[in-house]
Amino acid sequence: MGTFLGLAFTLTLLFCVAQGKVLYYDFVVKETPIDMLCETNRTVLTVNGLFPGPEIHAHKGDTIYVNVTNIGPYGVTIHWHGVRQIRYPWSDGPENITQCPIPTNSSFLQKVILTEEEGTLWWHAHSDWTRATVHGPIIILPITNYPYKFDEQHTIVIGEWYARDTKAIIDEALATGGDPDLSVAYTINGQPGDSYPCYNGLMYNIEVVRGKTYLFRIIHSGMNEEMFFGIAKHNLTVVGMDGAYVKPLKTNYLMITPGQTMDVLVTANQAPGRYYMVFSPFVDTNAPSNKNVTRGVFQYNGNYNHSETPVSPELPGFTNKSDAGNFTIQLRSLNSKEHPSTVPTKITRNITITVSVNQQPCPANKTCLGPGDDSMHSASLNNISFSAPSISILQAYYNNINGVFNKTFPDKPPFVFDYTGNVSALGEAAFVSTEVLMIKYNEEVEIRFQGTNFGAAENHPMHLHGYSFYVVGMGDGNFSDSYVSQYNTVDPPYINTVGLPKNGWTAIRFKANNPGVWFMHCHLERHSSWGMDTVLIVGEGPNKDQKMLPPPHHMPPCSGS
């Protein structure tokens, strides 16, 4: 047996009480047989044998200790998506960014520090493609009252199911430079629904009472496709997103990207009956895509013909970029007395980052399966395709280990061109390196993500660890400085994952007041695997409460250290 890291000092942690309560959870990562669609039944990695994994429940300001024991066949890491982890990146989780994988037959006691987060977040594996089945909700309750009313709440997790082992899928794709396998189904709370043959009755159903209002905590844990969502003949009211409240937004559909969460109110105000609730992919690219849908049933109690086929919602079409964008630009922070917006307005650091899908030349004496003749899929930020090191960047930074990363990620693209126009005359290869973006403590930062027309351009859900940020602007085409005067600096949405429109731009702002090493990447898993990532290292301030907290006594070992 291996060592079980962190258990020896559990009692010491009882005294490390911050604001709120201290909670404890045990996660066991293990292989579990899952029956799904007959021919795709297989054994997958899960936490505690569940797909999706267990819910974590806490209140705002609590501290959570999760003892993660790995008895799976290979190393794994766990990330607490949307938790800022103030001054404590040691438990953030991305593989070889803040830690090395937890080896088989060992444990890592992770500390999850809740501060301002309130609403719905989630946790997931952050190594290889294991998050396909290793994920679950984090429900953060308010200390006092919700700013809205409801009668019951339910958690809805959208997932993707693959016909074979996801680690093998991405390992093979990276080795050949080709496209990874597509998923074969989407699921709602682990159930594919009746749009698939041989679904064996596995469909999510919720029984509702006419006149009651339901809070749906929706989590998009899927791997590679954005989603439209709706319930037939029912309006939706979005009241929260990514662990923060938003101004109530009434709509008949959502557009939600991988990584995002939304809190949505639904009132059962229609004639008693059965109504489909549907997730349908939004596909704005010519890249291979899974265009199936998944369905559940919003079912009234009472006397009526329960055998009738449910009514279907009218959702935007697969390629409806206009409806996807129109939903997103309506989102606003609540910006109330109890939940104010504090948008940075004195920007001290302006950063422009081009976001591209690239091709790399095939190495000599190798056959590649990329999109062009003898090429490999790649992706980049500012024309740098991120190469993960063999040891943790956080540990190298904290211990002053040289040669692991370069502090030279640029504040702007290497050259200016018509980013969203005809780029056929430009080479598509990117520079492969481990570059990090250095930011001083307390800087007021603006990052302008600029989409490009290289490769299979599409919407990119960009996620930043360690921070939520304000989305002050978004549009199509190339960014222009004239757009700054049109920014929303009053009540922009405060989120941690934002969709960068296909061949468009998005501007975000945040104050760099959380020192540490923080991953930034596209949450489409294939793009992140191809190098659409970088790391922000935020320096420390002069005061003790502006410095990183020390590491735990036992971190998972790094083979390269």
Side-chain angles (χ1 to χ4, degrees):
M1 292 292 288
T3 59
F4 286 82
L5 310 176
L7 295 180
F9 65 100
T10 300
L11 291 178
T12 304
L13 295 172
L14 292 172
F15 299 99
C16 300
V17 181
Q19 178 188 0
K21 295 181 180 180
V22 178
L23 308 173
Y24 295 89
Y25 284 81
D26 285 303
F27 280 13
V28 178
V29 180
K30 62 180 181 179
E31 292 188 303
T32 303
I34 301 289
D35 292 336
M36 189 79 67
L37 303 179
C38 297
E39 71 275 8
T40 65
N41 294 345
R42 62 187 181 88
T43 296
V44 300
L45 274 188
T46 67
V47 167
N48 297 353
L50 302 173
F51 170 62
E55 286 193 4
I56 289 177
H57 287 258
H59 283 83
K60 181 179 180 179
D62 286 350
T63 298
I64 308 163
Y65 289 101
V66 184
N67 192 60
V68 181
T69 300
N70 179 21
I71 58 173
Y74 44 78
V76 71
T77 70
I78 303 291
H79 168 55
W80 319 97
H81 186 114
V83 178
R84 292 186 65 198
Q85 294 286 63
I86 298 296
R87 302 169 52 214
Y88 197 75
W90 303 103
S91 285
D92 190 50
E95 180 180 16
N96 291 350
I97 307 299
T98 61
Q99 69 173 83
C100 291
I102 305 166
T104 298
N105 294 327
S106 66
S107 292
F108 179 36
L109 186 63
Q110 295 189 245
K111 180 180 180 181
V112 183
I113 303 171
L114 302 179
T115 49
E116 64 180 21
E117 303 88 356
E118 190 171 333
T120 306
L121 296 174
W122 63 303
W123 58 265
H124 60 82
H126 214 304
S127 47
D128 304 304
W129 274 27
T130 50
R131 78 170 177 85
T133 52
V134 177
H135 58 254
I138 303 175
I139 309 301
I140 307 170
L141 306 174
I143 297 173
T144 53
N145 298 316
Y146 290 93
Y148 49 81
K149 294 182 179 180
F150 60 92
D151 297 297
E152 294 181 19
Q153 58 182 301
H154 299 269
T155 304
I156 295 177
V157 181
I158 174 71
E160 288 190 61
W161 183 259
Y162 289 79
R164 61 193 186 101
D165 180 66
T166 52
K167 185 177 186 303
I169 288 173
I170 190 56
D171 285 350
E172 290 174 16
L174 293 178
T176 64
D179 284 300
D181 293 4
L182 297 178
S183 60
V184 295
Y186 301 111
T187 60
I188 301 175
N189 289 353
Q191 301 176 70
D194 63 358
S195 63
Y196 298 93
C198 198
Y199 77 104
N200 288 332
L202 293 175
M203 181 163 65
Y204 179 71
N205 287 267
I206 173 174
E207 185 173 87
V208 300
V209 177
R210 195 170 191 276
K212 285 191 174 184
T213 296
Y214 297 83
L215 171 63
F216 283 0
R217 299 179 180 274
I218 301 175
I219 298 166
H220 193 339
S221 73
M223 302 287 279
N224 287 308
E225 303 296 346
E226 291 105 349
M227 288 283 173
F228 292 115
F229 170 74
I231 303 175
K233 295 189 176 182
H234 290 77
N235 289 324
L236 313 171
T237 302
V238 185
V239 292
M241 185 173 177
D242 284 4
Y245 297 117
V246 299
K247 283 184 172 66
L249 173 61
K250 293 185 179 179
T251 179
N252 57 9
Y253 70 94
L254 311 177
M255 200 291 281
I256 184 168
T257 76
Q260 290 181 336
T261 67
M262 292 184 185
D263 295 334
V264 179
L265 298 178
V266 185
T267 299
N269 56 9
Q270 298 298 305
R274 303 175 73 229
Y275 300 84
Y276 273 130
M277 42 196 292
V278 177
F279 285 96
S280 175
F282 163 51
V283 180
D284 62 345
T285 178
N286 58 9
S289 303
N290 176 355
K291 294 183 180 179
N292 291 310
V293 304
T294 182
R295 299 192 293 223
V297 177
F298 191 79
Q299 177 172 301
Y300 285 71
N301 69 354
N303 296 319
Y304 59 90
N305 184 358
H306 286 252
S307 63
E308 286 187 351
T309 300
V311 181
S312 293
E314 295 182 5
L315 291 177
F318 290 125
T319 61
N320 196 325
K321 182 176 184 288
S322 175
D323 279 1
N326 287 340
F327 170 78
T328 303
I329 63 174
Q330 294 181 75
L331 295 164
R332 298 286 185 271
S333 289
L334 187 58
N335 194 24
S336 65
K337 181 180 178 181
E338 295 80 13
H339 304 280
S341 296
T342 54
V343 185
T345 56
K346 298 179 180 178
I347 300 302
T348 58
R349 185 79 176 273
N350 257 308
I351 300 164
T352 298
I353 297 178
T354 52
V355 181
S356 304
V357 177
N358 305 90
Q359 297 179 32
Q360 300 295 115
C362 187
N365 302 316
K366 181 176 180 179
T367 300
C368 294
L369 303 176
D373 294 334
D374 214 21
S375 68
M376 304 182 73
H377 276 297
S378 177
S380 67
L381 300 177
N382 273 353
N383 207 43
I384 298 171
S385 185
F386 185 79
S387 175
S390 59
I391 71 169
S392 157
I393 289 178
L394 172 59
Q395 288 165 280
Y397 170 68
Y398 190 80
N399 296 305
N400 296 310
I401 300 173
N402 295 322
V404 176
F405 60 88
N406 300 315
K407 301 178 181 180
T408 50
F409 188 92
D411 280 9
K412 57 184 180 180
F415 60 95
V416 176
F417 59 98
D418 182 5
Y419 304 113
T420 59
N422 186 345
V423 297
S424 59
L426 302 174
E428 293 195 24
F431 178 60
V432 180
S433 184
T434 308
E435 306 288 329
V436 308
L437 179 60
M438 305 298 295
I439 294 176
K440 294 178 182 177
Y441 184 83
N442 253 358
E443 282 199 289
E444 296 197 0
V445 181
E446 178 173 324
I447 297 179
R448 299 165 184 172
F449 293 111
Q450 175 65 64
T452 71
N453 203 24
F454 287 113
E458 64 180 300
N459 189 299
H460 299 288
M462 301 303 298
H463 172 51
L464 175 59
H465 293 222
Y467 287 88
S468 287
F469 47 76
Y470 291 99
V471 183
V472 294
M474 178 181 294
D476 293 325
N478 298 330
F479 178 83
S480 167
D481 287 337
S482 64
Y483 298 156
V484 175
S485 63
Q486 303 170 30
Y487 281 177
N488 175 10
T489 57
V490 176
D491 59 355
Y494 187 59
I495 58 180
N496 61 63
T497 305
V498 63
L500 166 64
K502 175 182 177 179
N503 286 335
W505 61 272
T506 297
I508 67 171
R509 289 183 175 183
F510 61 94
K511 189 168 186 176
N513 55 7
N514 188 16
V517 172
W518 307 110
F519 201 31
M520 184 169 71
H521 60 97
C522 179
H523 226 278
L524 300 182
E525 208 66 17
R526 65 181 184 274
H527 290 172
S528 182
S529 299
W530 292 341
M532 196 176 284
D533 326 285
T534 191
V535 172
L536 275 59
I537 295 184
V538 177
E540 297 181 320
N543 301 327
K544 184 178 179 181
D545 63 355
Q546 297 172 337
K547 299 183 183 301
M548 280 196 299
L549 295 168
H553 294 165
H554 299 281
M555 292 288 292
C558 293
S559 59
S561 60

